[in-house]
Amino acid sequence: MAEALGIHELWLFILSGLLLNITPGPDTAYIIGRSIQFGWRGGAAAVIGICTGCLVHVFGAAIGLSALLMASSAAFTVLKWAGAAYLLFTGVQMLLSRSRPLAEVAAAGGDTSLARVFWQGALTNVLNPKVALFFLAFLPQFVAAESPHKTVAFLVLGLIFITSGMLWCFCIAAFAARAAGRIRQSAGAVAWVNRALGGLFVYLGIRVAMLEAR
């Protein structure tokens, strides 16, 4: 099937994807932080949100939106500043928020917090042009230039990449949640985690704002 779609060296793509997915980065830090705060459910919500954001970029690469983003400086600039503004706003909000123990959060409506965790993870990736350019640069290397099924090939490769990353991130979330059971009951510890995540969002916002189109 892979050969019929013009996909070549699938084994190398899977290996490269695994290595990229297990390399620690901002997404890993976000998943660990949310797992510490909200337990396994919070970590899972973060994972699903991040993967949803990546899926948007895979579809974008498949239908050519990422190529348009790369070619149009205006489109790139709009997405860049929208992403930077969202990340900075979210980061500052986290830095200024007052965290509570997990029991209090659940009593006040934990589902709302989990929904927020999901959307933060998703929007962090959707509004980051760097993620779009990554998929645009990575996926075509494993698809034959003359293939008449490039769109389907991009989608298949993207789903393989996201699936392997999701499984790995679920393992991270489960481990972090199990290791931090007592931390979640401490308002002070949760507050420090929230500040660390806020600082991460601010850092990412600055990084995105400084990103230049290639």
Side-chain angles (χ1 to χ4, degrees):
M1 177 183 175
E3 291 79 5
L5 295 176
I7 298 173
H8 56 83
E9 297 180 300
L10 181 60
W11 67 271
L12 181 59
F13 172 81
I14 294 174
L15 179 61
S16 300
L18 287 172
L19 291 174
L20 287 168
N21 280 319
I22 66 176
T23 302
D27 287 345
T28 304
Y30 181 67
I31 292 166
I32 292 174
R34 290 314 195 189
S35 298
I36 292 173
Q37 282 185 306
F38 301 109
W40 157 248
R41 293 177 65 199
V47 172
I48 296 172
I50 288 168
C51 291
T52 300
C54 289
L55 190 60
V56 170
H57 286 298
V58 168
F59 276 107
I63 65 177
L65 289 178
S66 294
L68 174 64
L69 179 66
M70 194 173 188
S72 171
S73 59
F76 182 90
T77 300
V78 169
L79 182 60
K80 180 183 80 169
W81 286 114
Y86 169 77
L87 289 168
L88 289 170
F89 174 78
T90 302
V92 171
Q93 201 173 39
M94 285 179 163
L95 288 170
L96 298 178
S97 67
R98 175 180 171 272
S99 295
R100 296 169 294 170
L102 179 62
E104 290 184 26
V105 173
D111 291 340
T112 301
S113 296
L114 293 178
R116 182 175 297 178
V117 169
F118 167 83
W119 283 112
Q120 284 177 346
L123 291 176
T124 298
N125 278 273
V126 170
L127 296 176
N128 190 345
K130 193 173 181 179
V131 179
L133 299 183
F134 164 75
F135 281 109
L136 184 64
F138 184 57
L139 298 183
Q141 297 181 53
F142 300 92
V143 179
E146 66 277 8
S147 172
H149 307 293
K150 288 189 183 70
T151 298
V152 179
F154 276 24
L155 290 174
V156 169
L157 291 176
L159 288 174
I160 292 173
F161 182 86
I162 291 172
T163 300
S164 65
M166 178 181 289
L167 293 174
W168 171 252
C169 289
F170 275 143
C171 292
I172 293 174
F175 177 80
R178 185 176 181 83
R182 293 183 179 180
I183 294 177
R184 292 196 305 272
Q185 305 307 319
S186 168
V190 172
W192 278 108
V193 172
N194 216 38
R195 288 175 191 139
L197 288 173
L200 174 64
F201 271 75
V202 170
Y203 168 73
L204 291 175
I206 294 172
R207 283 280 300 274
V208 170
M210 296 174 65
L211 192 63
E212 297 293 336
R214 294 290 190 271

